[in-house]
Amino acid sequence: MVTEHLSPLDLAFWRIESAAHPMHLGALAVFEAAPQDPGPGSGHGPGPGNAGPDAAVRAAALLTDRCTAVPGLRRRIHDVLLPIGAAAWSPDADFDPARHVFLVRTGDPQAAAGPLMARPLDRSRPPWEAHVLAGPDPGSFAVLFKFHHALADGLGALALAAMLFDEGPPVRGPARPAPVPQPGGSALRSLPGVLAARVQDVGQALEIGASVARAGLPLGVPAALTAVPARTGTRAVAGLALDLDDVNRIRKVAGGTVNDVLIAMVAGALRRWLVGRGDPEPEGPGPRALIPVSRRRPGGAQYGNRLSGYLLRLPLAEPDPLLRLHRVRIGMDRNKEAGPARGAGAVALLADHVHPLGHRLGGPLVAQAARLLFDILVTSVPLPSFTFSLGGSRVREVYPLAPLARGHSLAVAVSTYKGTVHYGLVADAAAVPDLAALAEALHAELDELVREIS
């Protein structure tokens, strides 16, 4: 059997994790009550008679049963002897679904999600979990999915989670990487090409490193966006659902893309939140937002990470919401023109130039240096247009949740699903005790942008 090593970027995510800063992605899926049961033998989901905790119990049973049939969820990560410092995937011979699917009774799924996001995954088992959160309303429940970043990026995690839902339109599942073709002919004939590729790789690494240096240190970053490690607490989670039609109206009038509007809303909400809590008026160029960019090719391998990123200064000092959007649009256009393989945001690509031993020894140092690279994570996770369901209960809301880097107090993730924009906010609970106020500020920012274009 060929050993399947973790890619350099997957290995980096595995090595930089710490107990206080776990590196897993999350998604909080909120379900609505299943439709009326049409009767025995219909093949449809449960009706009102299975409301409340019974619906959650059924969901947990389905997840427990289905996860055994997904090979990608039965693999664990283990260290290997060669190359030194590397790690590889292997089947978990003792795989037990009961160690990955849990039933939690709670009155508030978002409140329960915070402590669960703070808890690291068991590194001796396949790195994922699903927590079924039984809600107080009849038939309603939520599921918090957790996937380690070494297992998959946002798109890969979506493909894995989709295999656990009821049958629907196909979502491309994880595919193993295709074997790398061996060059024909003699080694001498292939040597010039190999050397040229190596020189090009080194040149790219030097260019990215220089861009990181030019991006500047975290100067003038609002104190609310930083977390002092000695004072950090557990995680807090907040979700906000907004009308996608409003976002599209803004885009059509102001120009740019939907993502430009969503990022500008984060900038405006941060400004409102800071001013509302009595902090000094924002000044300077603004905090540096890392905006991940997928480099995954259609039909390519879905396991692991294929990520780069853009770095963007959020114009918090600009009081006019439309001018904020304009500045975000200009910055994003500049990033797109340069491409995802250049600039300070492409720092993830540097992982390819580090020996596995370097990841093992330097992982903790890299994790501590996150604040030197960026100040806040703002990521977008695309979702398909069809309706997800589990045991006949349909997903009503999906809040993506991002990992929180050391020294950061806040991470923002956003997705669109069934005509609704869903913001998922993850914060250090000690550094940001008023996360609900930031969610309200996002809503207020959208309302003001709509008024400005009307």
Side-chain angles (χ1 to χ4, degrees), residues 215-379:
L217 295 174
L219 302 175
V221 179
L225 293 183
T226 64
V228 180
R231 301 177 184 173
T232 55
T234 185
R235 296 292 181 266
V237 166
L240 179 69
L242 301 171
D243 194 337
L244 180 59
D245 287 342
D246 287 339
V247 175
N248 278 319
R249 286 170 56 198
I250 297 167
R251 177 192 60 81
K252 290 177 182 178
V253 173
T257 66
V258 166
N259 202 41
D260 292 342
V261 178
L262 298 177
I263 296 171
M265 286 173 56
V266 172
L270 288 173
R271 175 185 170 84
R272 289 174 179 274
W273 174 59
L274 292 170
V275 173
R277 74 205 309 252
D279 287 9
E281 187 87 6
E283 296 179 348
R288 302 159 303 166
L290 178 63
I291 302 170
V293 177
S294 175
R295 299 173 62 244
R296 200 175 294 281
R297 296 179 179 178
Q302 296 295 316
Y303 284 132
N305 292 266
R306 293 290 297 168
L307 291 174
S308 181
Y310 296 144
L311 203 65
L312 177 73
R313 290 278 185 178
L314 297 180
L316 269 59
E318 174 54 61
D320 185 287
L322 289 180
L323 285 179
R324 278 197 299 270
L325 173 54
H326 179 66
R327 293 189 181 183
V328 166
R329 178 184 176 187
I330 290 176
M332 288 299 290
D333 286 346
R334 187 182 300 117
N335 278 325
K336 294 170 187 175
E337 183 178 353
R342 300 176 61 186
V347 65
L349 301 183
L350 295 179
D352 292 338
H353 304 277
V354 178
H355 188 274
L357 183 59
H359 284 298
R360 184 166 191 171
L361 298 179
L365 296 177
V366 173
Q368 293 181 28
R371 278 205 61 215
L372 298 177
L373 302 175
F374 63 101
D375 306 308
I376 184 173
L377 177 70
V378 181
T379 183

Side-chain angles (χ1 to χ4, degrees), residues 89-324:
W89 292 101
S90 65
D92 184 2
D94 299 320
F95 179 75
D96 182 359
R99 296 175 177 175
H100 299 271
V101 180
F102 307 94
L103 179 62
V104 181
R105 306 206 182 276
T106 176
D108 185 346
Q110 290 187 23
L116 291 173
M117 283 296 292
R119 190 174 74 189
L121 295 166
D122 188 333
R123 293 169 67 89
S124 68
R125 300 169 182 165
W128 69 275
E129 291 176 354
H131 298 264
V132 181
L133 310 176
D137 299 327
S140 68
F141 64 95
V143 179
L144 173 66
F145 293 98
K146 294 168 55 178
F147 296 96
H148 199 285
H149 223 319
L151 174 62
D153 55 23
L155 290 175
L158 170 64
L160 286 170
M163 297 181 186
L164 302 176
F165 287 106
D166 297 342
E167 184 178 358
V171 173
R172 184 178 296 276
R176 297 297 178 94
V180 178
Q182 298 298 320
S186 70
L188 285 177
R189 286 201 300 269
S190 65
L191 185 58
V194 172
L195 291 177
R198 172 58 63 183
V199 170
Q200 184 178 15
D201 287 346
V202 172
Q204 181 194 41
L206 292 174
E207 181 182 4
I208 295 172
S211 297
V212 171
R214 290 194 300 268
L217 295 174
L219 302 175
V221 179
L225 293 183
T226 64
V228 180
R231 301 177 184 173
T232 55
T234 185
R235 296 292 181 266
V237 166
L240 179 69
L242 301 171
D243 194 337
L244 180 59
D245 287 342
D246 287 339
V247 175
N248 278 319
R249 286 170 56 198
I250 297 167
R251 177 192 60 81
K252 290 177 182 178
V253 173
T257 66
V258 166
N259 202 41
D260 292 342
V261 178
L262 298 177
I263 296 171
M265 286 173 56
V266 172
L270 288 173
R271 175 185 170 84
R272 289 174 179 274
W273 174 59
L274 292 170
V275 173
R277 74 205 309 252
D279 287 9
E281 187 87 6
E283 296 179 348
R288 302 159 303 166
L290 178 63
I291 302 170
V293 177
S294 175
R295 299 173 62 244
R296 200 175 294 281
R297 296 179 179 178
Q302 296 295 316
Y303 284 132
N305 292 266
R306 293 290 297 168
L307 291 174
S308 181
Y310 296 144
L311 203 65
L312 177 73
R313 290 278 185 178
L314 297 180
L316 269 59
E318 174 54 61
D320 185 287
L322 289 180
L323 285 179
R324 278 197 299 270

